[in-house]
Amino acid sequence: SAFTTLGSSPAALAWSVHAVDDSLRKELVPTTKFSMEELKDGLVEALKSRSKKLRRTMLEVALIDSVNDSEKDAKLLISLAQSIMADVEGSKVVVNLIPFNDIGHPTYRTPSMEKVLGFQKIITDGGVLCYVRTTRGDEENAACGQLATSRSK
């Protein structure tokens, strides 16, 4: 399986989670084929097959204003991270928050920095390492997600 291949990779693993709730994740990532539980189980098996120094995993979350940035979303993310660490001896999970880059979508907007930092505080207060990634390229419309929405006329 793909997870077996990932487990044998010498690189740190990162998972673009975006939402722990399956229905919201399916809305945000319509191409997803597996439930969060199935994906978590695959990741756990991959991590168990790795040496202890390669058991660090990053959960990547593009935070979208009023979509996946609630206290409930943060608590679900804490539970996911803690369950991975409980299932894999010697593992470490780090959450990377990536504020959504505004692409002019009517529903998906960039959360305020205050909201992002509040979300981060909930995660860290829950005992999980959490960082906020700096956005780059948004002034030139070249940030993550923005290039795909540009069209030359």
Side-chain angles (χ1 to χ4, degrees), residues 1-136:
S1 82
F3 287 108
T4 304
T5 303
L6 283 174
S8 63
S9 171
L13 299 181
W15 178 11
S16 294
V17 173
H18 304 313
V20 178
D21 176 78
D22 278 321
S23 60
L24 178 56
R25 186 164 192 278
K26 184 71 174 168
E27 181 183 321
L28 295 174
V29 187
T31 57
T32 192
K33 296 178 185 176
F34 303 100
S35 71
M36 287 298 292
E37 191 65 29
E38 291 169 312
L39 292 169
K40 185 197 93 141
D41 291 346
L43 176 64
V44 164
E45 290 310 309
L47 290 173
K48 285 180 177 179
S49 72
R50 298 165 69 89
S51 71
K52 288 191 180 179
K53 72 178 189 174
L54 288 176
R55 290 185 177 180
R56 179 180 173 133
T57 300
M58 293 166 284
L59 302 181
E60 309 286 335
V61 180
L63 277 185
I64 305 169
D65 185 46
S66 301
V67 174
N68 66 346
D69 61 351
S70 71
E71 181 177 348
K72 177 186 171 195
D73 293 311
K75 289 182 176 180
L76 288 171
L77 195 54
I78 291 166
S79 293
L80 175 64
Q82 289 175 338
S83 72
I84 292 168
M85 291 186 285
D87 289 347
V88 183
E89 181 185 347
S91 66
K92 184 177 189 179
V93 174
V94 176
V95 173
N96 284 322
L97 302 177
I98 307 160
F100 181 76
N101 291 307
D102 189 355
I103 55 172
H105 192 280
T107 305
Y108 300 146
R109 296 175 309 280
T110 305
S112 69
M113 189 49 66
E114 179 182 340
K115 203 163 187 182
V116 172
L117 295 175
F119 194 93
Q120 178 189 34
K121 182 173 177 2
I122 295 168
I123 301 289
T124 56
D125 287 351
V128 178
L129 283 174
C130 183
Y131 300 101
V132 176
R133 292 246 307 260
T134 312
T135 59
R136 291 180 285 259

